[in-house]
């Protein structure tokens, strides 16, 4: 038997397969089924800042330089309400979920401001969450709002969460920073124990007949693995944090690549939405078989072996390779 155990955010996991924030966690029976199929932990769907602000009537813009458009946020609120429960119901659901399964449950908050809404991270801890994931996602449209402003806003939020929690927390990032290594380091210095790479951006589309901007949600494919794979490989061993790879995990091979890059946990949603919860068990088998066939006794033996600091050709992750790729194209 291959030892698949791993540690993520100080949690001992039986394997690296974690179900990422998604509607799966809305139903306790689904999470039980995920557990039966080998899930090592589950991240709950997010509690959104807009939801808490709506409930508490804190509709003032929190961001001084680039105010959130709350009218717009509220106009989308019915969708949020459909997707999520209200904040107190969310906490109650987390409590019940935690009582119903034996795997770790990670609460999730999604927002940008450092307001009272962050108390909900604390409520998640009180309800029994083993850890919290903070999804940072803001899309600036104000041309005077700088990258530094946004980074400061995020760091302030992370520091505010740190003072509220005794349990560990991870930050789920998007990849669009001028210097991801520097910003990741700052997030960890502000108190995050883990980094989740990455949030998936859902880009709106145009309806040409109605001349409307329409939301669209495309599920990922294994190709989407490459971006987080590259960044985890670059940052492994450089930043004292646990890495979780979220985006493009669809098979045992994808899990192996992620762990070889340096990930402690591999998170899935799209594959399970497309192919059902049972698929998780088969991915675990694929992972075990591959390690066995390649004479590894444990997952730990492959962790980080393909990270930038461990590969024979570190430039493969850098600009030099870009030139090589272009020149090699026939
Ligand atoms: C229907 C759906 C709902 C999601 N809800 C959340 C959420 O509430 N919070 C969050 O951080 N990510 C959410 N995600 C993003 C996933 O957690 C995950 O990061 C993303 O789907 C990429 O992983 P994948 O390639 O395995 O799908 C959602 C994704 C989907 C498809």
């Amino acid at each position: 038997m291959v030892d698949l155990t791993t540690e993520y955010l100080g949690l001992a996991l039986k394997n690296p397969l974690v179900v990422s924030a998604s509607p799966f966690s809305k139903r306790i029976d689904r999470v039980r089924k995920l557990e039966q199929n080998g899930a090592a932990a589950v991240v709950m769907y997010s509690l959104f800042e807009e939801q808490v602000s709506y409930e508490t009537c804190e509709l003032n813009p929190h961001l001084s330089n680039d105010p959130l458009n709350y009218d717009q946020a509220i106009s989308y609120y019915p969708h949020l309400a459909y997707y999520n429960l209200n904040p107190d119901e969310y906490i109650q659901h987390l409590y019940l979920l935690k009582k119903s399964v034996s795997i770790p449950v990670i609460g999730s908050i999604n927002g940008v401001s450092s307001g009272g809404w962050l108390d909900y991270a604390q409520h998640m801890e009180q309800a029994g969450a083993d850890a919290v994931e903070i999804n940072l996602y803001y899309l600036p449209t104000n041309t005077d709002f700088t990258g530094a402003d946004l980074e400061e806003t995020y760091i302030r939020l992370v520091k505010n969460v740190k003072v509220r929690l005794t349990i560990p927390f991870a930050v789920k990032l998007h990849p669009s920073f001028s210097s991801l290594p520097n910003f990741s380091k700052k997030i960890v210095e502000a108190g995050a124990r883990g980094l989740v790479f990455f949030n998936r951006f859902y880009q709106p589309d145009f309806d040409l007949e109605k001349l409307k901007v329409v939301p669209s949600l495309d599920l990922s494919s294994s190709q989407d693995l490459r971006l987080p794979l590259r960044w985890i490989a670059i940052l492994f061993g450089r930043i004292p944090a646990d890495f979780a790879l979220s985006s493009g995990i669809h098979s045992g091979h994808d899990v192996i690549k992620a762990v070889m890059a340096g990930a402690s946990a591999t998170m899935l949603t799209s594959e399970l939405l497309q192919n059902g919860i049972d698929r998780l068990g088969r991915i675990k088998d694929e992972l075990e078989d591959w390690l066995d066939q390649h004479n590894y006794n444990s997952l730990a033996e492959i962790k980080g072996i393909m990270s930038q600091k461990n590969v024979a050709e570190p430039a493969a992750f850098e600009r030099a390779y870009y030139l090589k790729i272009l020149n090699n194209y026939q």
Side-chain angles (χ1 to χ4, degrees), residues 163-175:
V163 296
R164 284 170 161 89
L165 291 182
T166 61
I167 53 172
F169 66 92
V171 173
K172 188 175 188 182
L173 292 176
H174 54 76

Side-chain angles (χ1 to χ4, degrees), residues 20-21 23 46 83 135 172 200 202 219-220 246-248 268-270:
S20 48
S46 296
Y83 178 55
N135 185 329
K172 188 175 188 182
R200 236 170 113 65
Y202 300 111
L219 297 178
S220 70
S246 170
S247 276
L268 311 87
T269 286
S270 291

Side-chain angles (χ1 to χ4, degrees), residues 174-203:
H174 54 76
S176 310
F177 292 93
S178 305
S179 172
L180 188 66
N182 177 260
F183 182 61
S184 301
K185 185 169 149 237
K186 285 194 219 159
I187 289 279
V188 172
E189 284 168 356
R193 175 132 182 199
L195 294 165
V196 184
F197 284 178
F198 288 111
N199 269 335
R200 236 170 113 65
F201 274 148
Y202 300 111
Q203 313 293 1

Side-chain angles (χ1 to χ4, degrees), residues 228-254:
L229 196 66
R230 175 189 213 158
W231 280 113
I232 291 176
I234 289 173
L235 295 181
F236 177 75
R238 293 191 186 178
I239 291 181
D242 293 339
F243 292 95
L245 191 150
S246 170
S247 276
I249 299 278
H250 289 264
S251 68
H253 281 179
D254 293 338

